[in-house]
Amino acid sequence: MGAVLFCSNLDDPEEWRPPMTKLMPDLELRVFPNFGNADEIDVAMVWRPPAEGLGQFKNLKAILSLGAGVDQLDLSKLPAGVPVARLVDDVLTTAMAEYCLLAALRYHRRVDLYERNSRLKKWEYHIPRPAAQRTVGILGLGVLGGATAEKLKMNGFKVVGWSRSPKQIAGVESFSGADGIYTMAAKAEIVINLLPLTPDTRGILNKKLFDAMQPGSYLVNVGRGGHLTEEDLIPALDSGKLAGATLDVFQKEPLAQEHPFWGRPDILVTPHCASTGGADTAAPQVVENIRRARAGKPLMNQVDRAKGY
Ligand SMILES: NC(=O)c1ccc[n+]([C@@H]2O[C@H](COP(=O)([O-])OP(=O)(O)OC[C@H]3O[C@@H](n4cnc5c(N)ncnc54)[C@H](OP(=O)(O)O)[C@@H]3O)[C@@H](O)[C@H]2O)c1
């Protein structure tokens, strides 16, 4: 039996070892760079692969991302033909839907304005609108976008969405295709990005999209920093095209001290905390994927390397 390589600058292997060993008592988990004989490694659990790549592991049967996304892996540089899987974790999914609901409610109930006004000692009343009169648009209707759509619907919002393939989701008006994103954006007052970062989606939160949105709309970016064309955001806010933005992810993290997004009353910066999974809840699918890889079976949550997600 082979050994599993653990390679991450973010995750602690000692958090993963106990729940994985409980499910697979003969697990041999080797932490990079102390992996011993490279030929014995048959599965790699990685956040980012080592600088020298994974090509030295000639007997690799699976690459398991330690994140829900795989953009950090640079799929084009991974050994060809080795299946790649990502994490899908109920805890992470619930946390993401919760964060997006919070961001939507904050704008819907004008809490962003009251935060500013309370600093100015300003009493300014706005009649609350019912959520049923507020449309939230979701870019990406996959695991996280789908769960977020459900959470928003349950809280009374009208929900529209956009994805690569057409979707039939009860109560969610869904769009696809190159122009569908603009049709969707024109209907929504709050747009939440939950796309994966691929060559097709890089920079997609840009002036063209903001121009398609209703004046005074809000943007929530919880996908990846690379989705936002950063230089288009401040002009959109300054012109009133956008009324506010909640940003959890950035092109460079942590966000640099001198970055213009800090300190603006119309931008809420959060430190890539929208959601995170845990070793305890994710260990069963990782162990299952190790078993599947060794048995030559398709992986759970396998990534389509051609599509990039
Ligand atoms: N901020 C955080 O803390 C945090 C945490 C976890 C994840 N994330 C981010 O969230 C992303 C989404 O995760 P997920 O699990 O929901 O992914 P997923 O299940 O793969 O869903 C992706 C969705 O995006 C759509 N899509 C992909 N490329 C598209 C394109 N070119 N045009 C239109 N739609 C496109 C897909 O369409 P189809 O349904 O047609 O395939 C799908 O609906 C991750 O990749 C990661 O970057 C952020």
Side-chain angles (χ1 to χ4, degrees), residues 3-18 20-21 27-37 41 43-48 50 52 54 56-57 66:
V4 176
L5 174 74
F6 189 99
C7 180
S8 172
N9 57 340
L10 290 183
D11 307 88
D12 179 357
E14 299 317 319
E15 276 180 22
W16 285 84
R17 197 186 297 277
M20 288 179 68
T21 307
L27 171 78
E28 207 183 316
L29 194 66
R30 299 187 188 168
V31 180
F32 186 86
N34 303 314
F35 51 80
N37 181 352
I41 300 291
V43 175
M45 293 171 66
V46 286
W47 171 243
R48 281 206 170 83
E52 54 276 50
L54 292 171
Q56 60 183 308
F57 304 105
L66 283 162

Short mmCIF file of all heavy atoms in Angstrom, two decimals, residues 3-18 20-21 27-37 41 43-48 50 52 54 56-57 66:
data_model
loop_
_atom_site.label_atom_id
_atom_site.label_comp_id
_atom_site.label_asym_id
_atom_site.label_seq_id
_atom_site.Cartn_x
_atom_site.Cartn_y
_atom_site.Cartn_z
N ALA A 3 1.68 5.60 0.30
CA ALA A 3 1.65 6.61 1.36
C ALA A 3 1.01 7.88 0.80
O ALA A 3 1.02 8.12 -0.41
CB ALA A 3 3.06 6.89 1.85
N VAL A 4 0.46 8.67 1.73
CA VAL A 4 -0.23 9.91 1.34
C VAL A 4 0.67 11.10 1.70
O VAL A 4 1.13 11.21 2.84
CB VAL A 4 -1.59 10.02 2.07
CG1 VAL A 4 -2.27 11.34 1.75
CG2 VAL A 4 -2.49 8.85 1.69
N LEU A 5 0.88 11.96 0.71
CA LEU A 5 1.68 13.17 0.94
C LEU A 5 0.76 14.28 1.41
O LEU A 5 -0.32 14.48 0.84
CB LEU A 5 2.34 13.59 -0.38
CG LEU A 5 3.09 14.93 -0.34
CD1 LEU A 5 4.40 14.78 0.42
CD2 LEU A 5 3.33 15.46 -1.74
N PHE A 6 1.18 15.04 2.43
CA PHE A 6 0.44 16.22 2.89
C PHE A 6 1.32 17.43 2.65
O PHE A 6 2.44 17.51 3.14
CB PHE A 6 0.13 16.08 4.39
CG PHE A 6 -0.81 17.13 4.92
CD1 PHE A 6 -2.16 16.85 5.08
CD2 PHE A 6 -0.36 18.40 5.24
CE1 PHE A 6 -3.04 17.82 5.56
CE2 PHE A 6 -1.23 19.37 5.71
CZ PHE A 6 -2.57 19.08 5.88
N CYS A 7 0.81 18.39 1.86
CA CYS A 7 1.64 19.53 1.49
C CYS A 7 0.80 20.80 1.55
O CYS A 7 -0.08 21.00 0.70
CB CYS A 7 2.20 19.31 0.07
SG CYS A 7 3.23 20.65 -0.48
N SER A 8 1.02 21.62 2.57
CA SER A 8 0.26 22.86 2.70
C SER A 8 1.01 23.83 3.60
O SER A 8 1.57 23.42 4.62
CB SER A 8 -1.12 22.58 3.30
OG SER A 8 -1.78 23.79 3.59
N ASN A 9 0.97 25.10 3.22
CA ASN A 9 1.54 26.12 4.11
C ASN A 9 0.45 26.73 4.99
O ASN A 9 0.72 27.59 5.81
CB ASN A 9 2.25 27.21 3.30
CG ASN A 9 1.32 27.88 2.30
OD1 ASN A 9 0.29 27.31 1.93
ND2 ASN A 9 1.65 29.07 1.86
N LEU A 10 -0.81 26.28 4.79
CA LEU A 10 -1.93 26.85 5.54
C LEU A 10 -2.52 25.87 6.55
O LEU A 10 -3.05 26.28 7.57
CB LEU A 10 -3.07 27.25 4.59
CG LEU A 10 -2.86 28.44 3.65
CD1 LEU A 10 -4.14 28.68 2.86
CD2 LEU A 10 -2.51 29.69 4.45
N ASP A 11 -2.49 24.59 6.20
CA ASP A 11 -3.20 23.59 7.02
C ASP A 11 -2.22 22.82 7.90
O ASP A 11 -1.10 22.54 7.49
CB ASP A 11 -3.94 22.61 6.10
CG ASP A 11 -4.82 23.32 5.11
OD1 ASP A 11 -4.31 23.67 4.02
OD2 ASP A 11 -5.99 23.56 5.42
N ASP A 12 -2.72 22.44 9.08
CA ASP A 12 -1.89 21.70 10.03
C ASP A 12 -2.12 20.20 9.83
O ASP A 12 -3.23 19.70 10.08
CB ASP A 12 -2.29 22.13 11.45
CG ASP A 12 -1.49 21.40 12.52
OD1 ASP A 12 -0.67 20.53 12.17
OD2 ASP A 12 -1.71 21.70 13.71
N PRO A 13 -1.10 19.46 9.39
CA PRO A 13 -1.30 18.02 9.17
C PRO A 13 -1.74 17.29 10.43
O PRO A 13 -2.45 16.29 10.35
CB PRO A 13 0.07 17.53 8.69
CG PRO A 13 1.04 18.59 9.09
CD PRO A 13 0.29 19.88 9.13
N GLU A 14 -1.34 17.82 11.61
CA GLU A 14 -1.69 17.12 12.85
C GLU A 14 -3.16 17.29 13.21
O GLU A 14 -3.67 16.60 14.08
CB GLU A 14 -0.76 17.54 13.99
CG GLU A 14 0.72 17.20 13.71
CD GLU A 14 0.94 15.80 13.10
OE1 GLU A 14 0.27 14.84 13.53
OE2 GLU A 14 1.75 15.68 12.16
N GLU A 15 -3.87 18.23 12.53
CA GLU A 15 -5.32 18.30 12.70
C GLU A 15 -6.00 17.23 11.86
O GLU A 15 -7.09 16.77 12.17
CB GLU A 15 -5.84 19.67 12.26
CG GLU A 15 -5.74 20.71 13.35
CD GLU A 15 -6.26 22.06 12.90
OE1 GLU A 15 -7.05 22.15 11.94
OE2 GLU A 15 -5.83 23.04 13.53
N TRP A 16 -5.36 16.87 10.74
CA TRP A 16 -5.95 15.89 9.82
C TRP A 16 -5.64 14.45 10.23
O TRP A 16 -6.45 13.55 10.00
CB TRP A 16 -5.44 16.14 8.39
CG TRP A 16 -6.07 17.33 7.76
CD1 TRP A 16 -5.68 18.64 7.90
CD2 TRP A 16 -7.22 17.35 6.91
NE1 TRP A 16 -6.52 19.46 7.19
CE2 TRP A 16 -7.47 18.69 6.55
CE3 TRP A 16 -8.06 16.36 6.40
CZ2 TRP A 16 -8.53 19.08 5.73
CZ3 TRP A 16 -9.12 16.74 5.56
CH2 TRP A 16 -9.33 18.08 5.25
N ARG A 17 -4.44 14.26 10.81
CA ARG A 17 -4.00 12.89 11.06
C ARG A 17 -5.00 12.11 11.94
O ARG A 17 -5.41 11.00 11.55
CB ARG A 17 -2.59 12.89 11.68
CG ARG A 17 -1.89 11.54 11.61
CD ARG A 17 -0.56 11.56 12.37
NE ARG A 17 0.40 12.49 11.84
CZ ARG A 17 1.21 12.25 10.81
NH1 ARG A 17 1.16 11.08 10.19
NH2 ARG A 17 2.08 13.15 10.40
N PRO A 18 -5.45 12.66 13.11
CA PRO A 18 -6.33 11.82 13.96
C PRO A 18 -7.66 11.44 13.29
O PRO A 18 -8.00 10.24 13.27
CB PRO A 18 -6.55 12.69 15.21
CG PRO A 18 -5.41 13.67 15.21
CD PRO A 18 -5.07 13.91 13.78
N MET A 20 -8.39 11.18 10.18
CA MET A 20 -8.16 10.29 9.03
C MET A 20 -7.72 8.90 9.50
O MET A 20 -8.17 7.88 8.97
CB MET A 20 -7.10 10.90 8.09
CG MET A 20 -7.63 12.09 7.32
SD MET A 20 -6.39 12.81 6.23
CE MET A 20 -6.19 11.52 5.00
N THR A 21 -6.87 8.87 10.54
CA THR A 21 -6.38 7.57 11.03
C THR A 21 -7.51 6.76 11.67
O THR A 21 -7.54 5.54 11.59
CB THR A 21 -5.23 7.80 12.05
OG1 THR A 21 -4.26 8.62 11.42
CG2 THR A 21 -4.57 6.50 12.47
N LEU A 27 -3.27 4.17 7.63
CA LEU A 27 -2.87 5.34 6.84
C LEU A 27 -1.41 5.72 7.12
O LEU A 27 -1.00 5.82 8.27
CB LEU A 27 -3.76 6.54 7.21
CG LEU A 27 -3.35 7.89 6.64
CD1 LEU A 27 -3.75 8.01 5.17
CD2 LEU A 27 -3.96 9.03 7.44
N GLU A 28 -0.67 5.97 6.07
CA GLU A 28 0.69 6.51 6.26
C GLU A 28 0.71 7.91 5.67
O GLU A 28 0.68 8.09 4.44
CB GLU A 28 1.70 5.61 5.56
CG GLU A 28 3.03 5.75 6.27
CD GLU A 28 4.13 4.94 5.62
OE1 GLU A 28 3.86 3.77 5.28
OE2 GLU A 28 5.21 5.50 5.45
N LEU A 29 0.68 8.91 6.55
CA LEU A 29 0.62 10.31 6.11
C LEU A 29 2.02 10.91 6.25
O LEU A 29 2.57 10.96 7.36
CB LEU A 29 -0.37 11.06 7.00
CG LEU A 29 -0.83 12.44 6.52
CD1 LEU A 29 -1.63 12.37 5.23
CD2 LEU A 29 -1.68 13.12 7.61
N ARG A 30 2.59 11.35 5.15
CA ARG A 30 3.94 11.92 5.18
C ARG A 30 3.88 13.40 4.84
O ARG A 30 3.29 13.77 3.81
CB ARG A 30 4.84 11.20 4.19
CG ARG A 30 4.97 9.71 4.50
CD ARG A 30 5.98 9.06 3.61
NE ARG A 30 5.96 7.62 3.77
CZ ARG A 30 6.59 6.77 2.95
NH1 ARG A 30 7.27 7.23 1.91
NH2 ARG A 30 6.52 5.47 3.18
N VAL A 31 4.48 14.20 5.68
CA VAL A 31 4.35 15.65 5.54
C VAL A 31 5.53 16.21 4.75
O VAL A 31 6.69 15.97 5.10
CB VAL A 31 4.26 16.31 6.94
CG1 VAL A 31 4.12 17.83 6.80
CG2 VAL A 31 3.08 15.74 7.71
N PHE A 32 5.21 16.96 3.69
CA PHE A 32 6.25 17.58 2.86
C PHE A 32 7.11 18.49 3.72
O PHE A 32 6.57 19.21 4.57
CB PHE A 32 5.57 18.39 1.74
CG PHE A 32 6.53 18.96 0.75
CD1 PHE A 32 6.96 18.22 -0.33
CD2 PHE A 32 7.06 20.24 0.93
CE1 PHE A 32 7.87 18.74 -1.24
CE2 PHE A 32 7.97 20.76 0.04
CZ PHE A 32 8.37 20.02 -1.05
N PRO A 33 8.44 18.54 3.61
CA PRO A 33 9.27 17.87 2.60
C PRO A 33 9.81 16.50 3.05
O PRO A 33 10.61 15.91 2.34
CB PRO A 33 10.43 18.86 2.42
CG PRO A 33 10.58 19.50 3.76
CD PRO A 33 9.20 19.52 4.39
N ASN A 34 9.32 15.99 4.20
CA ASN A 34 9.87 14.71 4.71
C ASN A 34 9.02 13.53 4.23
O ASN A 34 8.39 12.85 5.03
CB ASN A 34 9.93 14.75 6.25
CG ASN A 34 10.75 15.92 6.73
OD1 ASN A 34 11.83 16.18 6.22
ND2 ASN A 34 10.21 16.67 7.68
N PHE A 35 9.02 13.33 2.91
CA PHE A 35 8.14 12.29 2.37
C PHE A 35 8.86 10.97 2.08
O PHE A 35 8.25 10.01 1.64
CB PHE A 35 7.42 12.79 1.11
CG PHE A 35 8.34 13.37 0.08
CD1 PHE A 35 9.07 12.56 -0.77
CD2 PHE A 35 8.46 14.75 -0.04
CE1 PHE A 35 9.91 13.11 -1.72
CE2 PHE A 35 9.30 15.31 -0.98
CZ PHE A 35 10.04 14.49 -1.82
N GLY A 36 10.17 10.92 2.33
CA GLY A 36 10.89 9.66 2.11
C GLY A 36 11.02 9.34 0.64
O GLY A 36 11.33 10.22 -0.18
N ASN A 37 10.72 8.08 0.31
CA ASN A 37 10.85 7.61 -1.08
C ASN A 37 9.65 8.13 -1.90
O ASN A 37 8.51 7.72 -1.66
CB ASN A 37 10.90 6.08 -1.07
CG ASN A 37 11.05 5.50 -2.47
OD1 ASN A 37 10.96 6.24 -3.46
ND2 ASN A 37 11.27 4.20 -2.54
N ILE A 41 4.67 7.40 -2.70
CA ILE A 41 3.53 8.32 -2.57
C ILE A 41 2.52 8.00 -3.68
O ILE A 41 2.85 8.07 -4.87
CB ILE A 41 3.99 9.79 -2.69
CG1 ILE A 41 5.02 10.14 -1.61
CG2 ILE A 41 2.80 10.75 -2.69
CD1 ILE A 41 4.48 10.18 -0.20
N VAL A 43 -1.00 9.21 -3.24
CA VAL A 43 -2.04 10.25 -3.18
C VAL A 43 -1.41 11.51 -2.58
O VAL A 43 -0.62 11.41 -1.63
CB VAL A 43 -3.24 9.80 -2.31
CG1 VAL A 43 -4.25 10.94 -2.14
CG2 VAL A 43 -3.94 8.58 -2.91
N ALA A 44 -1.77 12.68 -3.14
CA ALA A 44 -1.24 13.94 -2.58
C ALA A 44 -2.41 14.78 -2.10
O ALA A 44 -3.36 15.03 -2.86
CB ALA A 44 -0.44 14.69 -3.64
N MET A 45 -2.34 15.19 -0.83
CA MET A 45 -3.30 16.16 -0.29
C MET A 45 -2.57 17.50 -0.29
O MET A 45 -1.56 17.64 0.40
CB MET A 45 -3.66 15.82 1.16
CG MET A 45 -4.43 14.54 1.34
SD MET A 45 -4.55 14.12 3.12
CE MET A 45 -5.57 15.45 3.76
N VAL A 46 -3.09 18.46 -1.05
CA VAL A 46 -2.32 19.70 -1.20
C VAL A 46 -3.20 20.93 -1.12
O VAL A 46 -4.34 20.92 -1.59
CB VAL A 46 -1.56 19.75 -2.56
CG1 VAL A 46 -0.38 18.83 -2.56
CG2 VAL A 46 -2.48 19.47 -3.73
N TRP A 47 -2.66 21.98 -0.54
CA TRP A 47 -3.24 23.30 -0.75
C TRP A 47 -2.56 23.84 -1.99
O TRP A 47 -3.14 23.87 -3.06
CB TRP A 47 -3.06 24.19 0.49
CG TRP A 47 -3.44 25.62 0.23
CD1 TRP A 47 -2.62 26.70 0.29
CD2 TRP A 47 -4.74 26.12 -0.16
NE1 TRP A 47 -3.32 27.84 -0.05
CE2 TRP A 47 -4.62 27.52 -0.32
CE3 TRP A 47 -5.96 25.52 -0.39
CZ2 TRP A 47 -5.69 28.33 -0.71
CZ3 TRP A 47 -7.03 26.33 -0.77
CH2 TRP A 47 -6.90 27.71 -0.92
N ARG A 48 -1.28 24.21 -1.90
CA ARG A 48 -0.48 24.53 -3.09
C ARG A 48 0.56 23.43 -3.24
O ARG A 48 1.17 23.02 -2.25
CB ARG A 48 0.26 25.86 -2.92
CG ARG A 48 -0.61 27.04 -3.15
CD ARG A 48 0.20 28.26 -3.59
NE ARG A 48 -0.74 29.28 -4.01
CZ ARG A 48 -1.34 30.11 -3.16
NH1 ARG A 48 -1.08 30.04 -1.89
NH2 ARG A 48 -2.20 31.00 -3.61
N PRO A 50 4.24 21.73 -4.07
CA PRO A 50 5.57 22.26 -3.85
C PRO A 50 6.09 22.98 -5.10
O PRO A 50 5.62 22.70 -6.21
CB PRO A 50 6.41 21.01 -3.56
CG PRO A 50 5.59 19.84 -3.99
CD PRO A 50 4.16 20.26 -3.99
N GLU A 52 8.63 22.68 -6.83
CA GLU A 52 9.17 21.79 -7.88
C GLU A 52 8.07 20.94 -8.52
O GLU A 52 8.34 20.10 -9.36
CB GLU A 52 10.33 20.94 -7.35
CG GLU A 52 10.05 20.12 -6.10
CD GLU A 52 10.22 20.92 -4.79
OE1 GLU A 52 9.67 22.03 -4.66
OE2 GLU A 52 10.87 20.40 -3.88
N LEU A 54 4.57 18.30 -8.74
CA LEU A 54 4.27 16.96 -8.23
C LEU A 54 4.81 15.88 -9.18
O LEU A 54 4.55 14.70 -8.98
CB LEU A 54 2.76 16.80 -8.04
CG LEU A 54 2.14 17.65 -6.92
CD1 LEU A 54 0.60 17.59 -6.96
CD2 LEU A 54 2.62 17.19 -5.53
N GLN A 56 7.62 14.61 -9.56
CA GLN A 56 8.56 13.62 -8.99
C GLN A 56 7.83 12.40 -8.40
O GLN A 56 8.46 11.37 -8.15
CB GLN A 56 9.42 14.27 -7.92
CG GLN A 56 8.60 14.84 -6.78
CD GLN A 56 9.44 15.57 -5.74
OE1 GLN A 56 10.42 15.04 -5.23
NE2 GLN A 56 9.05 16.80 -5.41
N PHE A 57 6.51 12.54 -8.18
CA PHE A 57 5.74 11.42 -7.60
C PHE A 57 5.14 10.61 -8.76
O PHE A 57 4.04 10.87 -9.24
CB PHE A 57 4.68 11.95 -6.63
CG PHE A 57 5.27 12.81 -5.55
CD1 PHE A 57 5.12 14.19 -5.57
CD2 PHE A 57 6.02 12.24 -4.53
CE1 PHE A 57 5.69 14.98 -4.59
CE2 PHE A 57 6.61 13.03 -3.54
CZ PHE A 57 6.45 14.41 -3.57
N LEU A 66 -6.97 20.70 -0.70
CA LEU A 66 -7.40 20.96 0.68
C LEU A 66 -8.36 22.14 0.76
O LEU A 66 -8.68 22.62 1.85
CB LEU A 66 -6.17 21.21 1.56
CG LEU A 66 -5.41 19.93 1.95
CD1 LEU A 66 -4.00 20.24 2.44
CD2 LEU A 66 -6.18 19.16 3.03
#
